[in-house]
Amino acid sequence: MPNLKQLIREIPDWPKPGILFYDITTLMKDQAGQAAVIDGLKSSVNADEIDAVIGIEARGFFFAPTVAHSLGKGFIPVRKPKKLPAATESVEYALEYGTDKLEIHKDAIQPGQRILIVDDVLATGGTAAAVAQLVEKLGGKVVALAFVIELDFLSGRDKLGKHRIHSLLHY
Ligand code: AMP
């Protein structure tokens, strides 16, 4: 089992002063590292518990389709505004300054479908909570959320209170 933390490059003061950015591209280009991450994310659920896997643009797309494939499920993208071509459902959420928006195709989830949400980093939890809301707006059920990294000091999981959360690495 490779040491995953050693494979993640840490970039201080990016994209702005005071942020320590966890760069997972160095982990993903390492074959054993990538395999361990996909296996770890996959193990957050049993295949028979879910119907599909959601990835959040952009870095969630590095993982979610492969996790979906390895569980024998389909992949559903949640994207930034105006990227999806068919009818969408959207959710607005608060950032440090201002708001942001995420969208999903209205017909991507059928009522009652069970969903695993995948992203790279759980920071403040705003993004993940918004995506969980999107799933529920369409009548889906969030079975679990899986992250490569959780920044414990930001208490993001408090925003996801009732949901099951699996993080491979904690900082
Ligand atoms: P949040 O909504 O605060 O939980 O932020 C989550 C999103 O921001 C994730 O999709 C990450 O890609 C990104 N993110 C936040 N903080 C970091 C960090 N320190 N290093 C890398 N990505 C981060």
Side-chain angles (χ1 to χ4, degrees), residues 12-150:
D13 299 316
W14 199 89
K16 51 185 182 183
I19 303 287
L20 177 60
F21 191 85
Y22 294 95
D23 174 19
I24 40 100
T25 65
T26 43
L27 167 66
M28 292 304 280
K29 77 174 180 185
D30 183 280
Q31 192 278 325
Q34 182 189 188
V37 164
I38 297 300
D39 281 353
L41 293 171
K42 175 191 173 187
S43 306
S44 59
V45 292
N46 293 317
D48 60 7
E49 284 184 288
I50 65 159
D51 298 304
V53 179
I54 280 183
I56 308 174
E57 186 172 0
R59 285 180 294 272
F61 293 179
F62 291 2
F63 309 99
T66 319
V67 171
H69 177 70
S70 67
L71 287 165
K73 308 294 168 179
F75 160 70
I76 300 169
V78 164
R79 300 208 61 182
K80 308 253 164 77
K82 302 193 193 309
K83 302 277 189 186
L84 292 169
T88 56
E89 184 62 76
S90 67
V91 66
E92 224 173 72
Y93 61 104
L95 296 175
E96 198 177 348
Y97 299 104
T99 61
D100 215 341
K101 208 177 187 189
L102 286 169
E103 295 184 341
I104 191 170
H105 273 144
K106 269 192 172 147
D107 61 0
I109 296 174
Q110 303 311 309
Q113 280 196 311
R114 302 159 304 160
I115 305 294
L116 168 67
I117 297 171
V118 171
D119 204 2
D120 63 337
V121 176
L122 174 60
T124 66
T127 308
V131 174
Q133 236 178 295
L134 262 187
V135 171
E136 285 164 359
K137 267 189 176 181
L138 294 180
K141 180 180 178 333
V142 178
V143 173
L145 299 100
F147 303 93
V148 181
I149 293 169
E150 179 170 351

